[in-house]
Amino acid sequence: MSVHSSLLGTSLYTASLSRNTKRCTIQRTRCFKASDTGVQSQQTGANDNLPAESSRGARRASSRLVQTLQKQVQKETVPWFQGMLQPWLDGVPPPLTDTVPPEQLADFDSKFVTVDGVRLHYKEAGTGGPGKPTVLLMHGLNGSTFSWRDVLQPLSEQGGSEGCRVIAFDRPPYGLSERPLSWPAGPEGNPYTSEAGARYAEGLLKALGIPQAIVVGHSAGALTAMELFKRNPGIISGFVFVAPALPSTSTKRVQNEQKRKQDSKDSFIWRASLGQQLQRLYMRALLQSENAGLNYIRKNLQKRRDEVALGKLQVYADAEQEVKQAVIEGYLRPMLADNWDRGSLYSYRAFSFPSDMPYEEIRQPVMFITGEKDGALTRGAKKVADLLKAEGQCSTEYVEYESCGHVPMDERPAEFLHDLQRFVTDVSSERQPTPDADSLTDGVDDAPLPLYPPSKAAPVDG
């Protein structure tokens, strides 16, 4: 949802502007110091020095500005306020009647496994011969295994019939995985946090008997990949961050108290206006309400569903790019699964963006794949890549596709697959990733580094 200018902030500004405009046309005082006596005098009556017509013109211009601001408030802020108020007025939301259990929506190649009491949906391709790596694909917010439809099978086939094993899974509350409505109390009970996503990823790999994998995280999936690293660094043999949503500060930096204070000035709370902070607090209160929060989630996601049904994905750099009907249906299918609305509500409640990540501890090879047109996420990814290169503890490659937005695997599938295959091949052969001539990259550290040691073998769950 786009956040409009604050009703309170805009109203205060409009009233202040009106008062100041009237005040400044009444009187202006100018002080000067006499050069020979040092005595100060005052000269007043600014309007006496201005032609009457000029004064009337200034008042008309000020009046037009005030009217323009008032219209902007009516056009942007009032509808936003009404939209925030309506969920409270809608009462108890009725049960959804157009949803089914996720298993009924499964594809022929869908698989399910229970991890920590939650039924996870996943897909896999390739068996992985001796010495061949496993690749774990993790989607972002509102994504699913469908996000990797053009990657899963081709990536598994590299190097012949016994290529690498590639796995993609749906992180609750997305895709066809279960959306729990209750869970045990405690820090690890909530199934909708980034930490829970990492726990499910680790549990899935253990359930499949996989001790180590190259982890590919798209958008918020990159955040989950870093949470997995914090939880079990040895389970990861390499990182690929695709259009990542990551903090651009390392944990080592914020441990310095002076820099921590400086970083706090760059936070949203420091930079946000009073109106923006009030909006944020109101949204948190709205989402904490079971009925109003659910009404709000349904209305907004159903509106987004209608936009996607018309082919308006709003994630491609080329807004006019044709979207096939099969792609539209693939993105919309999870909204037919039971409890998609409540799962989304609980996910929004649980989501928090960390201020830092322990980048200084990474020793595995890292590749960034971004789109030139992905705005702040691309700038943030570049900062993290530069930070890793400055640390000098791991091989880091940064790839940026021209005229590409937030979904490189959709917008530039051939290039994306080529770069991903190259990285996987280099990691699996225990060589540093080296960019080829066709890649858009900032270069790679030359010093060879061993792969991060695998974790101890864990018992395979049933």
Side-chain angles (χ1 to χ4, degrees):
M1 182 194 74
S2 300
V3 179
H4 298 301
S5 301
S6 151
L7 174 63
L8 177 60
T10 305
S11 300
L12 290 175
Y13 175 74
T14 303
S16 175
L17 177 66
S18 178
R19 290 194 300 270
N20 291 338
T21 300
K22 294 177 181 178
R23 186 181 300 115
C24 73
T25 59
I26 295 174
Q27 186 178 40
R28 180 178 62 184
T29 300
R30 183 171 57 195
C31 295
F32 63 92
K33 183 177 181 180
S35 59
D36 55 341
T37 64
V39 179
Q40 289 188 337
S41 301
Q42 288 189 333
Q43 185 177 17
T44 62
N47 285 337
D48 295 337
N49 298 326
L50 294 174
E53 184 61 31
S54 176
S55 179
R56 287 194 295 272
R59 287 196 296 270
R60 286 196 297 269
S62 299
S63 178
R64 286 196 297 270
L65 177 58
V66 170
Q67 292 174 1
T68 300
L69 289 172
Q70 290 173 339
K71 290 180 180 179
Q72 184 174 358
V73 169
Q74 293 174 349
K75 180 181 178 180
E76 296 183 357
T77 307
V78 171
W80 179 88
F81 183 78
Q82 291 174 337
M84 292 295 98
L85 184 61
Q86 191 60 45
W88 299 95
L89 303 177
D90 287 340
V92 179
L96 296 177
T97 59
D98 58 349
T99 63
V100 297
E103 287 84 353
Q104 295 185 21
L105 301 170
D107 295 314
F108 72 94
D109 57 346
S110 291
K111 297 181 179 181
F112 293 84
V113 64
T114 299
V115 175
D116 284 354
V118 176
R119 194 75 171 160
L120 299 181
H121 170 252
Y122 73 100
K123 294 186 177 185
E124 64 177 324
T127 56
K132 298 294 183 179
T134 295
V135 180
L136 179 65
L137 306 173
M138 296 200 292
H139 61 78
L141 297 180
N142 298 312
S144 67
T145 55
F146 186 77
S147 303
W148 307 106
R149 63 195 177 281
D150 294 328
V151 177
L152 199 70
Q153 189 64 38
L155 183 61
S156 72
E157 294 172 351
Q158 72 166 20
S161 59
E162 290 190 348
C164 59
R165 186 178 183 183
V166 186
I167 300 166
F169 82 103
D170 291 334
R171 188 174 70 255
Y174 307 113
L176 302 184
S177 286
E178 180 186 358
R179 294 152 171 87
L181 301 184
S182 62
W183 50 86
E188 289 205 347
N190 193 321
Y192 297 111
T193 63
S194 295
E195 294 84 355
R199 190 170 70 249
Y200 293 137
E202 180 186 36
L204 175 64
L205 292 176
K206 288 181 178 180
L208 299 179
I210 300 170
Q212 195 175 49
I214 297 171
V215 177
V216 182
H218 174 239
S219 193
L223 194 63
T224 305
M226 283 302 302
E227 291 292 348
L228 177 60
F229 173 76
K230 290 166 61 178
R231 183 179 181 86
N232 186 352
I235 206 170
I236 300 174
S237 58
F239 290 97
V240 181
F241 296 134
V242 184
L246 289 170
S248 57
T249 304
S250 68
T251 301
K252 183 175 72 173
R253 179 184 177 189
V254 301
Q255 288 174 346
N256 182 304
E257 187 62 29
Q258 182 177 0
K259 291 182 178 179
R260 184 194 298 272
K261 292 178 180 178
Q262 181 61 41
D263 289 343
S264 68
K265 295 182 180 181
D266 296 329
S267 69
F268 169 80
I269 296 299
W270 181 274
R271 291 181 287 106
S273 67
L274 174 61
Q276 288 174 321
Q277 294 187 43
L278 290 175
Q279 285 184 12
R280 180 171 178 269
L281 292 173
Y282 181 80
M283 278 296 301
R284 292 180 66 177
L286 175 64
L287 294 177
Q288 289 302 317
S289 168
E290 194 70 18
N291 292 335
L294 196 59
N295 287 330
Y296 175 81
I297 290 295
R298 283 187 183 180
K299 179 180 179 181
N300 282 272
L301 291 187
Q302 286 170 344
K303 177 182 177 181
R304 181 70 183 121
R305 177 186 62 187
D306 295 341
E307 293 172 347
V308 172
L310 296 176
K312 300 177 181 179
L313 298 187
Q314 299 177 6
V315 291
Y316 297 159
D318 181 6
E320 302 301 322
Q321 179 175 333
E322 182 181 358
V323 182
K324 296 180 180 179
Q325 186 61 33
V327 174
I328 293 174
E329 293 174 357
Y331 277 118
L332 293 180
R333 186 186 304 177
M335 290 188 70
L336 298 175
D338 286 346
N339 299 317
W340 67 262
D341 52 344
R342 293 187 183 276
S344 297
L345 172 62
Y346 300 155
S347 177
Y348 279 116
R349 287 179 182 174
F351 182 78
S352 64
F353 194 77
S355 62
D356 57 89
M357 278 291 171
Y359 301 121
E360 67 278 0
E361 298 178 10
I362 294 179
R363 301 295 183 272
Q364 298 92 327
V366 181
M367 171 183 273
F368 292 82
I369 300 180
T370 65
E372 176 195 17
K373 303 295 185 180
D374 201 18
L377 290 184
T378 293
R379 294 191 294 272
K382 186 66 167 62
K383 288 182 180 179
V384 178
D386 290 343
L387 187 154
L388 288 172
K389 291 178 183 180
E391 289 286 344
Q393 301 297 320
C394 64
S395 166
T396 305
E397 180 178 356
Y398 179 83
V399 180
E400 184 175 301
Y401 299 146
E402 294 180 352
S403 302
C404 180
H406 187 57
V407 195
M409 56 275 204
D410 279 11
E411 299 172 80
R412 307 291 280 276
E415 292 173 71
F416 178 84
L417 186 60
H418 170 77
D419 286 322
L420 185 55
Q421 287 175 330
R422 174 172 54 79
F423 180 84
V424 170
T425 298
D426 288 343
V427 171
S428 64
S429 61
E430 297 190 14
R431 290 185 291 111
Q432 287 299 305
T434 51
D436 60 14
D438 296 330
S439 294
L440 302 173
T441 176
D442 285 349
V444 183
D445 297 339
D446 295 325
L449 293 171
L451 291 178
Y452 206 93
S455 60
K456 296 180 181 180
V460 179
D461 298 333

